[in-house]
Amino acid sequence: MTTSTGPPRTSTDVATGDAHVVVACPPVLDVRRTLGRLRRGAGDPTWDSSPGEVWHATRRGDGPVTLRLRPAAGGVRADAWGPAAEEVLADVPGLLGLRDDPTGFAAALHPVVARAHRTYAGLRLARGGDVWAAVVTAVLEQRVVGLDAMASWRRLVVRHGTPAPGPAPARLHVAPPPPVWGSLPVWEWRAAGVDAQRSDTVRRAAAVAHAFRADLAPAELARRLRTVPGIGPWTAAEVTARALGDPDAVQVGDAHLPHLVGWALTGRRTDDAGMLHLLAPWQGHRQRVLVLLAAAHLGHLPAYGPRGRRALPMR
C-alpha cells in the first residue's frame, strides 16, 4: 500500500485565501467509499459531493474549515478555507486512508475475508481527525435507529452550527464546538428527537472535551471517553474507529455487527462473544475485517433480529 511519509507541502493563493496541497495516491484508492464511512447519511450537513469533488466542513480547536477534494494528476488536490486550513490540509493523507497500515493483516485466513479484501482493494480506514464530532454522532446513535440519529445530527448542526467558510455549497455547515453543545437547552434536544440520556451524555462529554485529542493512541482515547457516564465500549470504539482510523476497534454491543460477522463467516447468527471469537485471528485488524464484511455483505443479510427502537419524534 502507498503511504504518506509526512504532511504534503501547502501552497496558498493570497488573492483567494485558498490553501491547497496535492496528495499522491495509489490509483486503486477508492476515495468516496473510504470517506463514506465518516458521513452520517446522505443529508449530513458537514459533507457534500458532486461529480468530481467532495466537500467537508470540519473544525480544529475553535477554527472552522472547509475542505474540498478533487482528482488531480497523480493523486488528489485538497483545497481548504478557514482559520485552521493548513492544519486540516496536513491531516488529508490520514483522511484519505493513506496512513492506514495493513501490515500483519492476514486476509487469507478466511475465504470470505480474502474475497472482500480483493473486491474492495481501494477501501482504506479513514482517520477523520475531528474527535469531538465523532463523539457527538456516536452518542446520538446509541440505542436508536440510524436514520433517526442522522436526522437529529442534521437538525442540530444546521440550527446551531455555522455556514462553512469559503466558496462552499450553501447547505454545508460546520458543527458547533463543545461549549455550544454543552449549553443547548433541553427543548432543542427534544425538538431534534434526542432523549435525556443521550443529551445528558453529550453535555457531560462537552465539559471535558479538551481531553479527547486526536494525537492520543486509540486505547488511551477510549479510556478517557469511558470515564464519561453514558459512554461505554460501543461508543468509544465508534469514536476511535472514525476519528483515529483505529484498525482494531470492535463495537461490542452493536445490534447488527454480531449478526453480520456470524452470517458472513459461518452462515449463522451469533452474539458479541461469538463475534469476538470469530474475529480473534485478526487481532490488531478487527475493525478492518468489520469494514470489509460490511462493504461486501451488509445489504444482503437475512431479515431477522429485532429492530432498534425509534427515537423521540421531532417537533
Side-chain angles (χ1 to χ4, degrees), residues 61-145:
D62 291 327
V65 177
T66 297
L67 177 68
R68 181 180 63 192
L69 302 172
R70 295 184 293 174
V76 171
R77 172 170 168 145
D79 298 89
W81 298 265
E86 293 196 9
E87 183 178 353
V88 169
L89 289 176
D91 290 343
V92 166
L95 185 68
L96 294 173
L98 299 178
R99 292 178 177 150
D100 174 25
D101 183 4
T103 302
F105 175 51
L109 289 175
H110 194 289
V112 169
V113 177
R115 184 166 58 250
H117 188 49
R118 290 192 303 271
T119 302
Y120 299 98
L123 176 58
R124 304 289 188 262
L125 300 184
R127 179 184 174 92
D130 189 341
V131 177
W132 177 247
V135 171
V136 176
T137 54
V139 172
L140 292 179
E141 292 169 10
Q142 291 176 348
R143 304 176 309 279
V144 299
V145 174

Side-chain angles (χ1 to χ4, degrees), residues 105-107 109-110 112-114 116-117 123 125 246-250 257 260-261 264-265 275 278-297:
F105 175 51
L109 289 175
H110 194 289
V112 169
V113 177
H117 188 49
L123 176 58
L125 300 184
D246 181 2
D248 198 45
V250 180
L257 281 181
L260 167 67
V261 173
L265 299 184
M275 174 179 69
L278 290 170
L279 292 175
W282 294 284
Q283 185 80 32
H285 293 277
R286 294 176 296 176
Q287 177 67 197
R288 191 181 311 282
V289 174
L290 291 172
V291 169
L292 288 171
L293 293 181
H297 296 284

